[in-house]
Amino acid sequence: MKKIVLVAALAFLPALNASLGADAASPPVNPAYMWDLSELYATPEAWTAAHDKTLADAGKLDSFKGTLGKSATDMLTALNAISAARKETDRLYGYASLKRDEDVNIAPNQERLQLAQALSATLGEKTSWLTPEILSVGAEKVKAFEAQSAELKSRFGFVLDNILRAAPHTLGAEAENVIASASNVLAQPDNIYSTLANGEVPFPALSLSDGTKIERLDQAAYAHYRQASNREDRKKVFDAFWGIWKKYEGTFGASLNTQVLAEEFDAKVRKHPNALSDALFTDNMPEAVYRQLVAQANAGLPTFHRYLKLRKKLLGIKGDLGYYDMYPSMFTISQPPKFTVEDSERIGLDVTSVYGPEYTAMLKRGFSGRWMDVLPRKGKQSGAYMNPAAYDVHPYLLLNHNNDYESLSTLVHEWGHAVHTMLDDKTQPYETSGYSTFIAETASISNEMLLNDYMVAHAKSKAEKLFYLGEGLELIRTTFFRQTMFGEFQLAIHEEVEKGQALSGKHLSDIYCGLLKHYYGDDKGVTKIDPAYCVEWEFIPHFYYGFYVYQYATSMAGAAAFTNAIETKKPGARDRFIAMLKAGGSDYPIELYKKAGLDMASPAPYQALIKRMNHLMDQIDALEKQK
Ligand SMILES: [Zn+2]
């Protein structure tokens, strides 16, 4: 869930919910709950030796410059050498970052990670000639070489195709140099945002009705206290938190406007019709997918409003439902169920048994090894992730297991990434083993959905059943409707600039307000949106990553369609899903999806998710009637 950056450009989605970090009063470390990094490098000294050798190898890679067009054999030799250096760099980087995360305060571990980052930068510099040279060799000659060398085609064919696709958007050497020189300046809005939002905004202090004193109502405190069961308290939290953002509306507006202008600049000079198509180019994703997602989320608003009305009823709210009523749990259980790591593994195996014996065998193998650093500990990195960096070894996972349902769900989610990696690495050569985020989150969210259905089915009481149904619904609100609304906002603000309009902070808030009111049914009397909260856009860091958040929503829609087909034993559905995971990064994500039976540019997957949401609410209605 957490974003990790690897050499092979394998990046996962950052967590949607802020983690509150490791518990300071942790039990002593039991090796059984720690990973064993000696499978990557036997000792830190072995890492250093491998690092030095790889750095020397990387230094020689520019000697291949100018050889690619000579023959198929020359091209294969050069690509092999680059690939070998990249593979070892991934593994070195993986070890360094895992070792650092064991305790983020240890200086030698921080330094090792810096060395890995420097190695990665050197590798980038020493191979920066590669893409321009392949483009100048040209598609015709590359295809001719592939016809002569089966190995060139099978291992590098897709990679080459992906590079050649960029030809119409690649400029002459002089223009490319100008763009490269400007890139640092164009990346600054994110820094400005981060300095302001995470450093200089003077977050207020606040007292709650039970005497709780919040010293600093920052993002993490807001994420916690907005769930307050006392309605006056959560309104107070909203008013204080958004009140301070409102004061910086102009500055955040200037910062986001600059980000939008930077993206428009790139689209224009690279000859893309608009910023959206530029952003989607990396994944070769048709704009139609993005626009269909937005259209289908809008078509699903009656279902979303049904959920909001249910929420209002269950929270016992008289009068208008407010935006500050979204976060408290609709169902609380007096004794929340507890899940140890062993319980979570057992449930994880049971839940994913629908994927068949191959998946189960892999998950068992993973659980029996020491692949996880699973318990919270002082100094340990917060959050959760799966690291796939060591292609020849196995994935590693970092969790902060707290024995609650969220921990169980996170474990099942991250192991979804891990088994995806195992299936992929077993099937694909290193060169096509890096899957896109678009596919990655489908593998993990599918597991979360299967888990949610399993917990509803196996709940020991009505209260427990309702709790799980509520969790399932809230996941759809935050992952599908909220992220699509963000995606629609990004589209709207870019289109304003493309039409020649200017974007001030006030104008951004007006656009955001329009969307918030529309999604939450303000004009239909479903929710009353206080315009004071329409500065929420200021708080979303993802708007500085380009058009990115839409993938949360598409992944969830895909997961809903896949899990429904698998749970209802639709012929071939399970095998097609597993085949998609095995295909790794061997084709563009939209094509991999199609082979698995889903067209993400069609309404079907989004409708499957809406159907799922209604089904969860039907079950709640039925249970509520039993009262
Ligand atoms: Zn994930």
Side-chain angles (χ1 to χ4, degrees):
M1 289 165 99
K2 188 171 167 285
K3 183 169 182 171
I4 55 169
V5 179
L6 291 169
V7 185
L10 264 176
F12 292 91
L13 300 173
L16 289 175
N17 301 309
S19 163
L20 293 173
D23 179 2
S26 310
V29 180
N30 175 348
Y33 296 108
M34 277 284 287
W35 51 39
D36 177 9
L37 299 185
S38 72
E39 292 177 64
L40 293 174
Y41 297 96
T43 59
E45 293 72 35
W47 184 90
T48 304
H51 167 269
D52 295 351
K53 184 183 177 301
T54 309
L55 186 61
D57 291 346
K60 291 177 208 143
L61 290 175
D62 47 9
S63 67
F64 291 102
K65 190 177 173 182
T67 66
L68 293 186
K70 285 183 182 166
S71 71
T73 311
D74 281 298
M75 183 173 272
L76 183 59
T77 305
L79 293 180
N80 265 332
I82 292 168
S83 205
R86 282 183 177 165
K87 182 149 75 94
E88 192 61 30
T89 302
D90 281 355
R91 185 165 169 164
L92 286 159
Y93 200 106
Y95 178 93
S97 90
L98 293 164
K99 193 75 194 160
R100 195 277 313 262
D101 288 349
E102 287 179 359
D103 186 338
V104 296
N105 301 310
I106 295 179
N109 292 349
Q110 294 165 357
E111 287 159 17
R112 189 182 300 104
L113 184 58
Q114 285 166 16
L115 288 176
Q117 285 161 347
L119 168 64
S120 172
T122 303
L123 184 63
E125 281 162 30
K126 294 292 177 187
T127 55
S128 63
W129 52 271
L130 182 66
T131 296
E133 187 163 324
I134 289 168
L135 288 170
S136 78
V137 170
E140 201 180 325
K141 205 166 181 184
V142 168
K143 295 286 164 225
F145 286 172
E146 285 177 11
Q148 292 162 32
S149 165
E151 191 186 351
L152 185 67
K153 185 165 171 57
S154 68
R155 281 180 51 212
F156 296 100
F158 177 68
V159 180
L160 288 165
D161 184 62
N162 208 6
I163 292 173
L164 289 165
R165 211 163 51 81
H169 307 290
T170 307
L171 311 177
E174 196 179 356
E176 284 293 337
N177 277 335
V178 172
I179 296 177
S181 306
S183 65
N184 195 15
V185 180
L186 297 176
Q188 292 313 306
D190 187 26
N191 284 339
I192 298 168
Y193 167 80
S194 190
T195 306
L196 189 55
N198 305 320
E200 294 182 341
V201 170
F203 289 108
L206 193 68
S207 301
L208 301 181
S209 60
D210 65 353
T212 302
K213 290 207 182 338
I214 307 167
E215 274 180 40
R216 192 169 181 265
L217 184 66
D218 58 10
Q219 290 92 333
Y222 165 73
H224 183 69
Y225 290 105
R226 67 187 177 187
Q227 302 171 51
S229 54
N230 181 311
R231 196 170 187 223
E232 287 309 310
D233 279 346
R234 58 185 188 255
K235 183 174 186 311
K236 231 171 142 180
V237 167
F238 260 62
D239 289 345
F241 187 70
W242 297 116
I244 199 80
W245 291 88
K246 179 75 185 170
K247 293 197 171 122
Y248 295 87
E249 190 181 41
T251 312
F252 279 113
S255 160
L256 186 54
N257 180 43
T258 313
Q259 172 71 25
V260 171
L261 292 175
E263 290 168 20
E264 294 292 337
F265 167 81
D266 194 77
K268 192 174 162 192
V269 296
R270 294 217 171 273
K271 303 183 182 118
H272 291 283
N274 53 46
L276 176 64
S277 109
D278 186 3
L280 300 182
F281 184 80
T282 314
D283 260 346
N284 204 11
M285 187 64 64
E287 269 186 61
V289 171
Y290 199 101
R291 294 183 192 279
Q292 185 67 270
L293 165 70
V294 169
Q296 291 303 317
N298 276 276
L301 286 178
T303 298
F304 185 48
H305 295 165
R306 178 186 170 192
Y307 167 62
L308 295 172
K309 286 175 195 158
L310 180 69
R311 165 166 277 278
K312 179 180 166 183
K313 188 180 117 199
L314 290 166
L315 290 178
I317 288 166
K318 309 273 175 278
D320 294 325
L321 182 72
Y323 197 41
Y324 48 83
D325 292 319
M326 296 304 145
Y327 295 97
S329 186
M330 295 184 295
F331 303 104
T332 43
I333 15 183
S334 49
Q335 289 230 307
K338 292 282 172 203
F339 307 95
T340 63
V341 174
E342 290 72 22
D343 293 336
S344 303
E345 290 183 349
R346 177 179 47 76
I347 293 170
L349 277 168
D350 220 4
V351 163
T352 57
S353 63
V354 291
Y355 293 139
E358 189 178 11
Y359 195 105
T360 299
M362 283 191 170
L363 194 53
K364 275 189 180 159
R365 198 188 132 214
F367 286 158
S368 69
R370 284 177 52 199
W371 299 11
M372 276 195 284
D373 184 342
V374 64
L375 298 177
R377 189 171 66 239
K378 196 169 177 348
K380 179 178 159 179
Q381 180 67 259
S382 62
Y385 64 71
M386 184 281 308
N387 183 321
Y391 172 81
D392 295 313
V393 189
H394 57 69
Y396 281 88
L397 300 95
L398 180 137
L399 302 171
N400 278 284
H401 198 90
N402 230 349
N403 291 352
D404 54 7
Y405 177 64
E406 198 189 328
S407 300
L408 162 63
S409 186
T410 302
L411 185 139
V412 168
H413 177 104
E414 297 304 334
W415 277 97
H417 288 312
V419 178
H420 183 191
T421 302
M422 294 167 82
L423 287 162
D424 167 28
D425 287 356
K426 191 181 128 186
T427 317
Q428 298 298 323
Y430 166 76
E431 291 74 23
T432 51
S433 65
Y435 43 77
S436 81
T437 302
F438 199 86
I439 302 275
E441 288 299 313
T442 306
S444 52
I445 297 177
S446 290
N447 282 9
E448 279 189 72
M449 284 183 170
L450 291 176
L451 172 70
N452 195 255
D453 292 346
Y454 176 97
M455 298 311 284
V456 171
H458 290 78
K460 289 187 193 74
S461 64
K462 187 174 133 183
E464 247 187 68
K465 220 178 251 289
L466 287 168
F467 170 77
Y468 292 123
L469 289 165
E471 293 287 305
L473 281 172
E474 195 46 19
L475 192 67
I476 298 176
R477 179 183 80 83
T478 55
T479 311
F480 185 73
F481 286 104
R482 183 170 161 85
Q483 304 304 319
T484 307
M485 186 185 78
F486 290 163
E488 190 170 350
F489 174 70
Q490 284 188 290
L491 195 55
I493 64 178
H494 280 83
E495 284 175 353
E496 280 294 280
V497 171
E498 284 159 15
K499 280 188 294 195
Q501 302 291 316
L503 293 176
S504 62
K506 169 79 173 54
H507 190 34
L508 286 162
S509 296
D510 288 344
I511 295 173
Y512 194 83
C513 234
L515 285 167
L516 201 55
K517 286 183 174 178
H518 179 59
Y519 271 73
Y520 284 82
D522 184 279
D523 58 336
K524 295 187 167 59
V526 180
T527 313
K528 192 86 210 138
I529 297 291
D530 184 337
Y533 308 146
C534 290
V535 292
E536 192 182 33
W537 59 269
E538 289 176 37
F539 152 89
I540 311 296
H542 304 71
F543 293 154
Y544 294 86
Y545 309 165
F547 291 86
Y548 181 86
V549 293
Y550 85 100
Q551 299 174 100
Y552 289 113
T554 51
S555 296
M556 178 170 248
F562 284 128
T563 51
N564 181 262
I566 292 168
E567 284 177 323
T568 56
K569 303 208 167 12
K570 203 172 153 197
R574 176 185 99 183
D575 294 342
R576 283 195 297 270
F577 180 72
I578 297 295
M580 179 178 87
L581 302 186
K582 285 182 176 174
S586 61
D587 203 346
Y588 301 110
I590 180 97
E591 299 304 326
L592 294 177
Y593 254 92
K594 273 186 199 156
K595 283 179 209 162
L598 271 192
D599 179 0
M600 293 305 286
S602 79
Y606 312 98
Q607 288 169 348
L609 182 67
I610 299 298
K611 198 173 154 197
R612 178 182 174 85
M613 195 176 197
N614 275 311
H615 181 58
L616 293 171
M617 290 190 280
D618 291 344
Q619 293 175 77
I620 291 175
D621 285 349
L623 285 165
E624 288 286 307
K625 276 202 191 98
Q626 288 174 17
K627 266 182 189 167

